[in-house]
Amino acid sequence: MTSNCSFEGVDELMRYLELAIYMPIFLLGVILNVAALLVFCLLLRKWTESTIYMTSLALMDLLLLFPLPFKMHSTNHRWPGHLQPLCSVLESLYFVGIYGSIYTIMCIAVDRWLAICHPFKAKQLRSPKAALGTCIGVWVLVLTAMSPTVYQFREADLTDFHCFHRFSAKGWSPPVIICLQVFGFLLPALVLVYCSVQTIVALKQSGQRSAQSRACVKIIYSSLSAFLLPFTPSHLAILLQFLVRQGIIQDCSNKTRISLFIQIAMCLSNITCCLDALCYYFIAREVRSTKHTFRISMVSQRRATFSTSEV
């Protein structure tokens, strides 16, 4: 039973481990994302679909990084009960940053898939205004979906508490976790993987071995890394902890391992703020090669159309 299962060893370990993980992520993440915003907003003269998406992603990453100092403080200090509203706001911003990043990375993959695999449709669907509208839509979606939910994660109580820890039973209810897993991770992951695979196949089938094509492939792999590496373990850990809260997993040793796993996985999921720098590194090449790749795809499709019409 839970009352006979002690998590003091896990909590003691995480007091030091969280600081060791969060400090470099916070410092490096802030530097990289602020630098990216300066480059996108001041140095790049022309706003393209790619730069708009990446600017939105950098803002999402900064929103995710903002609550980390409070999260580090709450690990070793209990907050007075009257600070629960502040805690709920910080938790809301944290989850908005996570799932906003997830959906923004997905939109980047869809935009690239349109540009390379469906260039004729892309001429009608892709534009800086459309990209801006999509980014605004992502912000509205995650703010609308997450803000009311996070306020239900804590019971109304005036006792001291650890912010970002010990969510209430409502926060672990089946509807919340199912929606989180399906719409927060699985659906965007499937879209991202499908678009990425299709784009890589299209680039290889085009027969082009140019530097631009290789750069596009690197961008795709960096986007996959920035998504799958941080978010797959954390959502697996959430699923396992949900099974614990539902009483499906009852063994004390398994509960202890899962408690340690979810805390480490959630800590490491913040590394997405640094992994996104891979996308920032290649963004200049993508801006230069978008027209070139777009032209290659159109020529390939024209050739396919002409050869089909001659049969």
Side-chain angles (χ1 to χ4, degrees):
M1 296 178 63
T2 305
S3 58
N4 297 327
C5 195
S6 174
F7 298 95
E8 291 182 1
V10 173
D11 294 338
E12 184 67 23
L13 175 61
M14 291 307 302
R15 287 191 182 98
Y16 302 99
L17 197 56
E18 280 194 4
L19 292 176
I21 295 174
Y22 281 146
M23 285 299 296
I25 288 177
F26 178 77
L27 294 175
L28 187 60
V30 169
I31 292 172
L32 291 175
N33 285 282
V34 170
L37 287 177
L38 292 175
V39 170
F40 295 147
C41 297
L42 299 179
L43 299 182
L44 294 181
R45 297 180 180 180
K46 184 178 180 181
W47 283 91
T48 66
E49 295 86 354
S50 297
T51 53
I52 290 172
Y53 282 121
M54 298 305 294
T55 299
S56 180
L57 182 59
L59 291 173
M60 286 290 187
D61 287 340
L62 288 174
L63 186 64
L64 172 59
L65 289 167
F66 173 75
L68 285 190
F70 301 95
K71 201 171 187 293
M72 287 185 280
H73 179 272
S74 66
T75 299
N76 297 300
H77 301 85
R78 297 179 69 87
W79 291 16
H82 68 271
L83 290 181
Q84 284 200 13
L86 173 62
C87 175
S88 295
V89 171
L90 293 172
E91 290 170 344
S92 178
L93 293 177
Y94 180 76
F95 287 109
V96 166
I98 287 179
Y99 292 100
S101 297
I102 286 176
Y103 270 85
T104 303
I105 294 172
M106 182 195 74
C107 290
I108 292 172
V110 173
D111 178 75
R112 189 178 296 114
W113 170 72
L114 277 174
I116 295 175
C117 297
H118 302 279
F120 294 110
K121 292 182 180 179
K123 292 185 66 176
Q124 300 174 347
L125 298 176
R126 293 181 77 243
S127 69
K129 289 184 178 179
L132 180 60
T134 302
C135 291
I136 293 174
V138 169
W139 280 87
V140 172
L141 174 65
V142 293
L143 285 170
T144 303
M146 295 304 304
S147 298
T149 304
V150 173
Y151 276 96
Q152 300 177 8
F153 282 4
R154 300 196 172 275
E155 302 288 352
D157 196 353
L158 294 178
T159 59
D160 293 352
F161 68 102
H162 286 288
C163 190
F164 292 94
H165 296 80
R166 306 290 192 270
F167 288 153
S168 68
K170 291 181 179 179
W172 289 100
S173 63
V176 171
I177 299 303
I178 290 174
C179 289
L180 200 68
Q181 294 286 338
V182 174
F183 298 105
F185 177 70
L186 287 178
L187 181 61
L190 289 174
V191 173
L192 174 67
V193 171
Y194 173 82
C195 291
S196 299
V197 170
Q198 291 292 314
T199 304
I200 292 173
V201 170
L203 287 171
K204 291 183 177 180
Q205 288 180 346
S206 66
Q208 298 293 326
R209 302 296 179 183
S210 63
Q212 290 87 348
S213 296
R214 291 194 296 270
C216 284
V217 173
K218 290 180 181 179
I219 294 166
I220 295 168
Y221 283 128
S222 67
S223 297
L224 282 171
S225 300
F227 187 100
L228 296 176
L229 291 179
F231 298 128
T232 301
S234 61
H235 284 83
L236 175 60
I238 291 172
L239 177 60
L240 292 174
Q241 184 65 18
F242 170 71
L243 297 179
V244 171
R245 297 297 292 258
Q246 294 298 309
I248 298 175
I249 297 177
Q250 299 184 358
D251 181 71
C252 183
S253 60
N254 289 333
K255 287 183 179 181
T256 305
R257 295 189 190 99
I258 291 172
S259 177
L260 179 61
F261 177 43
I262 189 172
Q263 293 188 64
I264 293 178
M266 292 302 295
C267 288
L268 293 177
S269 67
N270 298 285
I271 203 173
T272 184
C273 301
C274 302
L275 291 178
D276 288 338
L278 295 173
C279 304
Y280 304 152
Y281 176 79
F282 293 119
I283 190 64
R285 294 185 182 182
E286 183 180 29
V287 171
R288 290 195 299 266
S289 64
T290 296
K291 291 183 178 179
H292 178 82
T293 307
F294 189 88
R295 186 168 57 250
I296 291 172
S297 299
M298 290 190 68
V299 170
S300 299
Q301 289 202 9
R302 284 196 186 102
R303 288 175 179 173
T305 302
F306 292 151
S307 61
T308 303
S309 62
E310 292 173 358
V311 176

